[in-house]
Amino acid sequence: MPVGTRVAGFVGGFDRDFGSYAEQLVVPAADLAVVPDGLDLVAASTVPLNGLAAAQIVDLLGDAPTDRNRLLVTGAAGAVGGTSPRSPPTAAGR
């Protein structure tokens, strides 16, 4: 990834002596996503945590049932709920 590329990522864990409030931080490139042009960096910074929370919720629900049950996401206008419908439908239903 070239120096100066606009990225967003997530630094997990609470047992670290550094954090995501730093202006510069060294992390594996695999833990980052390129921020598209036109997307504000502040808005982009919310995506990794909200996406992780949504993915964990869907993962906790387990495999999709075979009887075509659906997952209803109420409050899909919020940060985590708004990301949940974008999670893979094969994870916990449609």
Side-chain angles (χ1 to χ4, degrees):
M1 193 171 302
V3 172
T5 302
R6 295 169 10 110
V7 297
F10 180 74
V11 178
F14 296 105
D15 59 344
R16 306 195 190 309
D17 59 354
F18 56 83
S20 56
Y21 289 111
E23 288 186 26
Q24 296 181 0
L25 187 64
V26 177
V27 296
D31 292 350
L32 301 174
V34 175
V35 175
D37 292 335
L39 181 59
D40 180 64
L41 286 174
V42 173
S45 70
T46 68
V47 174
L49 181 59
N50 297 329
L52 177 62
Q56 287 175 333
I57 292 166
V58 171
D59 186 53
L60 286 172
L61 293 173
D63 292 332
T66 57
D67 56 0
R68 299 180 53 93
N69 285 342
R70 306 280 189 217
L71 170 64
L72 174 64
V73 178
T74 59
V80 175
T83 307
S84 298
R86 291 173 184 84
S87 298
T90 56
R94 296 188 143 177

